[in-house]
Amino acid sequence: MEPLPARDAITPEVLARWAHRGQRRDTPAGPGDYIDHPRRVVELLVAGGVAGPEVLAAGWLHDTVEDQPGRLDLAGAALDHGSDDGAAGPGDGILEPVDDAALRDRALAVLADLFGPTVARIVAEVTNPLPSSSASAGSLPSVASGAASAASSSTSTQGSPDALYLEHLRQLCAHGSPAAVSVKICDLLDNTRDLDPVPADPRDPARLARLRRKYAAARPILRSASSLLDPRWQQKALARDITQGQ
């Protein structure tokens, strides 16, 4: 893994590219670079009328705490020690034994340190909860004094992963910030852009069908949610039926 840039060279895009380097994402043409997903999320935010730098920063970083918390922890340790080359292999980054919730907290603290508590809070809000979370439904994470509370504590733990996703989405739309809802809407829009199978599609048809059902249930929750996006753009963007192809 390439070295971490110096602190003054780390932008949200730079950190997202560093954190997701080597991570792949299934596409109709085969595995693609994961970073294309947050890039498109930012493009969708801009298309929907969002210009706030903190929201766009969260768009770049929205999956880093969920997918690569160890790398963010490693980045924080490298920056704390004044090192620009703290990066190691793709599975590295945990400097000492730590549970998943604490690791997410530490990752969020790195985002707060680099980009401010608002960016970290938005990322915390959109991060899907850990299955082991014991928090009650309705509580959403907050960030105070540059430190993040657990992104894993944003919903209850009962049900399947898809049910947990939808419950987290309901709580986000009911209690979350419009900025976080904006990022989540654009995240869903990109996640559903290519769920229809194509000829010679290498992806599992059963998994595609499950994802269509999951995200079809999410769209009504998001269609009228309060966000920073232009309301007409939001309605139009979420209007497409994604149940086809089943």
Side-chain angles (χ1 to χ4, degrees), residues 25-36:
R25 180 182 173 93
D26 288 340
T27 78
D33 290 336
Y34 195 90
I35 193 61
D36 290 337

Side-chain angles (χ1 to χ4, degrees), residues 77-102:
L79 292 169
D80 286 345
H81 289 86
S83 170
D84 296 341
D85 59 355
D92 297 335
I94 302 175
L95 304 182
E96 59 188 53
V98 61
D99 65 41
D100 290 340

